[in-house]
Amino acid sequence: MLVFITGATSGIGKSTAEIFAKNGHDLIVTGRREDRLQELKQKLEKNHNISVTILCFDIRDVKAVERAVESLSANNKKIDILVNNAGLAAGLSSIQEGSLSHWERMIDTNIKGLLYATKFISNLMIKNGKGHIINIGSIAGKEVYANGNVYCATKHAVDALNKGMRIDLLPYNIKVTAINPGMVETEFSIVRFDGDEDRAKKVYMGLQPLSPDDIAETIFWVANRPAHVNINDLVIMPSAQATATNVNRK
């Protein structure tokens, strides 16, 4: 399989690249940080004898996404799996106190970026006669919590888009799956709190959150179901977290 992963420079995206590489699959990895992409490419190609193509661009820039996809060789356009992983939270404020720049960053990345990647790659999959799109959502796409307003709205949009894609792409032999995690300890909270690592650590205090590897293993499992099986929607939580806000801390 050839796997295209957005937001592969850290967290879930990086772990997803690692598990597919470990199992012998070639990769196309994307992100904004070229040094991290190069480091990932060198590591995975050396350790697993696979091919890794890197595309460095900002997923919020539709022209950059289009150019990147068009730049792929004919063989690299035979994409079997798209993992729409790039996403973020910015800020944790009430609607009346929210930052416009935070809102725009989340909407442009979580919704529009996902749409851009899906638009261009789904058309390649249609030409190839098969494919699988795996959208990384969130428990925030199933529930709304205080001060989560716009972030929750973007992930609710991913939930709706996942359902829409499933319907629209059904005639083309393209599977569509959403994976919606609860708390996962990545750079997520550091980004949300504008680099405040102490505040970010408090999010996960008193419980064992999910790891990026937990989600990557789930993505890999979903991607390897038999041809007649499609996992439409999956919610995965730490044992200590029942809902977005009900958490059992020790």
Side-chain angles (χ1 to χ4, degrees), residues 80-102:
D80 296 293
I81 298 170
L82 165 62
V83 182
N84 273 322
N85 168 71
L88 55 84
L92 188 66
S93 300
S94 63
I95 199 77
Q96 68 274 19
E97 296 175 346
S99 160
L100 291 177
S101 63
H102 282 166

Side-chain angles (χ1 to χ4, degrees), residues 160-176 230 232:
L161 288 168
N162 185 75
K163 294 171 183 173
M165 288 180 204
R166 180 78 175 106
I167 296 166
D168 292 346
L169 297 173
L170 183 63
Y172 302 103
N173 194 33
I174 297 173
K175 296 184 180 186
V176 181
N230 186 92
N232 281 11

Side-chain angles (χ1 to χ4, degrees), residues 3-211:
V3 186
F4 188 111
I5 304 167
T6 68
T9 56
S10 65
I12 294 169
K14 183 178 179 183
S15 288
T16 301
E18 288 170 346
I19 194 169
F20 276 100
K22 180 181 175 182
N23 285 275
H25 301 295
D26 292 336
L27 304 173
I28 302 168
V29 294
T30 84
R32 291 179 298 141
R33 293 173 284 193
E34 187 166 10
D35 56 335
R36 291 198 183 187
L37 290 172
Q38 291 285 1
E39 183 181 345
L40 183 64
K41 173 182 168 71
Q42 291 169 15
K43 174 186 171 184
L44 297 182
E45 288 186 335
K46 178 182 177 182
N47 293 342
H48 303 296
N49 194 30
I50 58 148
S51 170
V52 179
T53 300
I54 64 173
L55 297 174
C56 186
F57 60 84
D58 187 336
I59 200 147
R60 297 173 294 179
D61 182 342
V62 63
K63 293 297 184 185
V65 179
E66 184 175 23
R67 282 195 301 270
V69 174
E70 286 180 349
S71 75
L72 294 170
S73 68
N75 279 340
N76 272 348
K77 287 181 178 177
K78 296 175 182 176
I79 296 163
D80 296 293
I81 298 170
L82 165 62
V83 182
N84 273 322
N85 168 71
L88 55 84
L92 188 66
S93 300
S94 63
I95 199 77
Q96 68 274 19
E97 296 175 346
S99 160
L100 291 177
S101 63
H102 282 166
W103 294 357
E104 289 167 358
R105 189 176 172 199
M106 289 185 283
I107 291 167
D108 289 349
T109 304
N110 300 354
I111 303 175
K112 292 164 72 175
L114 180 143
L115 283 170
Y116 300 156
T118 301
K119 165 73 173 174
F120 300 121
I121 293 173
S122 64
N123 277 288
L124 296 180
M125 290 177 170
I126 289 169
K127 289 178 184 176
N128 296 333
K130 63 175 183 173
H132 192 170
I133 298 172
I134 300 174
N135 297 307
I136 306 305
S138 169
I139 188 60
K142 304 292 187 180
E143 307 169 19
V144 178
Y145 52 84
N147 299 327
N149 41 71
V150 175
Y151 176 67
C152 292
T154 66
K155 289 301 184 178
H156 274 71
V158 172
D159 189 48
L161 288 168
N162 185 75
K163 294 171 183 173
M165 288 180 204
R166 180 78 175 106
I167 296 166
D168 292 346
L169 297 173
L170 183 63
Y172 302 103
N173 194 33
I174 297 173
K175 296 184 180 186
V176 181
T177 299
I179 295 177
N180 301 285
M183 290 186 182
V184 185
E185 190 165 12
T186 64
E187 294 179 357
F188 176 88
S189 290
I190 296 173
V191 172
R192 164 168 262 178
F193 299 130
D194 295 323
D196 187 337
E197 294 189 19
D198 290 336
R199 189 178 178 192
K201 286 177 184 176
K202 290 177 183 176
V203 172
Y204 310 109
M205 284 179 63
L207 79 152
Q208 183 176 353
L210 298 169
S211 71

